[in-house]
Every structure is written in C-alpha cells, then in structure tokens.
C-alpha cells in the first residue's frame, strides 16, 4: 500500500458566497498542517455567444474583451478585499496567510470544469470546496458543483458544508 504524501498545493475553490468562511478556515488549517500553498480560485460564467452577439452589435470586439478583463480584475479585487476583511476579523487564522497564500485566480467558465481543469494543469494535490447540501425526499443532496468536481477530479476533494 502506498504512503500518503503531504499536500503541497491546495486549491481553495470559492463562489464568493457569504458562507465560505468555514471552507477557507479548513484550507488554511490544512495548509499549515502540510506546509502547503493555497491557490484561491473563483470561476465566473462567461458572457456566452448570445451575450457576445448582442454586445458586438453595439461595440467592437476589443471593447467587449476589455469589459470582460475589467470584470475579472474587479472580481480579483473583491477577493482580495474579502480576504483582508476576513483576516481582520479572524486574526488567529490569518497570521501567516502571506506564507500560505500562493495566488488568487479568476477564470471564466463552468465552475466545476474550471476547478478540475485548473487542478489538472497546476499540480494541485487537494481541492477544498464548500457545498450547499439540501434535503430532498428524505435524502441529502450534494450541490451540483461539488458533486461534479468529485465525480471528475483526479485528486482528492474535501467538501465542507457551508450552508
């Protein structure tokens, strides 16, 4: 039986929701335990072909690209601001965040696809993701993004209930 190696790169997938603190807290704790780096990742839905077609009637393609890029930069800034606020409120969790946090990434696409693709292409050892579980017909249902990530991931996935 093979020995479990410590995690070196942890992908913390966030939807920027209000209940993500327990998920981030787990990512921080695991990064400390394994002396790993954290990559914060948020996936945004792309404009899509219909939206692009409508926008292209009113503005050149370069402007559409610039608007998309500006939106991505705004999301990154929102992530940095939330991280700053989180650390101000939970100082014990973030005292060494600069050593643990490798980068903040925003990518366009279906969240589950973006998460798995990023993990596959960036040497990620563990994905930490939150899930809104709900009851349906007496059974607990896992959120669609978390379910799809676990079904297709090539690395371990830690799902933290956050709703």
């Amino acid at each position: 039986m093979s020995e479990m190696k410590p995690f070196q790169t942890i992908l913390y997938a966030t939807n920027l929701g209000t209940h993500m603190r327990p998920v981030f807290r787990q990512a921080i704790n695991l990064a400390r335990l394994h002396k790993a780096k954290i990559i914060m990742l948020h996936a945004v839905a792309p404009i899509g072909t219909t939206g692009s077609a409508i926008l292209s009637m009113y503005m050149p393609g370069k402007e559409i690209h610039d608007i998309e890029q500006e939106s991505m930069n705004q999301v990154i800034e929102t992530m940095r601001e939330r991280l700053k606020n989180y650390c101000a409120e939970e100082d014990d969790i973030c005292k060494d965040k600069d050593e643990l946090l490798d980068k903040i990434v925003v990518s366009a696409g279906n969240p589950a696809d973006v998460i798995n693709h990023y993990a596959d292409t960036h040497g990620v050892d563990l994905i930490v993701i939150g899930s809104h579980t709900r009851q349906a017909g007496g059974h607990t249902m896992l959120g669609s993004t978390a379910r799809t990530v676990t079904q297709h991931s090539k690395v371990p996935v830690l799902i933290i209930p956050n709703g």
Side-chain angles (χ1 to χ4, degrees):
M1 188 152 89
S2 65
E3 188 177 323
M4 187 174 124
K5 299 183 304 186
F7 302 119
Q8 295 178 334
T9 304
I10 297 172
L11 181 63
Y12 161 60
T14 178
N15 65 3
L16 298 180
T18 56
H19 302 288
M20 292 302 292
R21 284 185 180 215
V23 184
F24 186 60
R25 192 174 298 119
Q26 281 294 342
I28 290 277
N29 287 335
L30 283 167
R32 281 189 183 136
L33 182 67
H34 290 267
K35 295 178 177 50
K37 291 288 189 179
I38 297 173
I39 298 170
M40 292 178 68
L41 174 67
H42 176 68
V44 293
I47 290 178
T49 54
T50 304
S52 291
I54 292 169
L55 287 174
S56 68
M57 291 189 301
Y58 298 100
M59 61 181 61
K62 180 163 177 15
E63 286 184 35
I64 294 170
H65 173 73
D66 291 347
I67 290 170
E68 286 178 327
Q69 191 58 50
E70 184 179 322
S71 295
M72 298 284 230
N73 291 340
Q74 287 175 346
V75 172
I76 289 172
E77 194 52 44
T78 298
M79 291 171 75
R80 284 189 177 121
E81 189 64 30
R82 285 197 178 181
L83 180 62
K84 179 180 164 189
N85 292 340
Y86 176 84
C87 289
E89 295 168 16
E90 302 203 25
D91 188 51
D92 63 316
I93 293 293
C94 293
K95 64 181 177 257
D96 53 357
K97 78 163 177 53
D98 292 334
E99 296 158 20
L100 299 175
L101 188 60
D102 187 35
K103 60 181 121 181
I104 297 174
V105 179
V106 177
S107 186
N110 172 286
D113 295 340
V114 167
I115 293 164
N116 280 326
H117 178 74
Y118 197 91
D120 290 345
T121 58
H122 290 84
V124 168
D125 303 303
L126 174 70
I127 298 169
V128 177
I129 187 171
S131 180
H132 301 288
T133 54
R134 53 194 161 280
Q135 296 289 326
H139 300 290
T140 302
M141 304 287 289
L142 191 60
S144 61
T145 299
R147 184 180 65 248
T148 303
V149 167
T150 58
Q151 288 171 337
H152 300 283
S153 178
K154 295 176 184 147
V155 298
V157 178
L158 177 61
I159 301 172
I160 309 296
N162 68 332

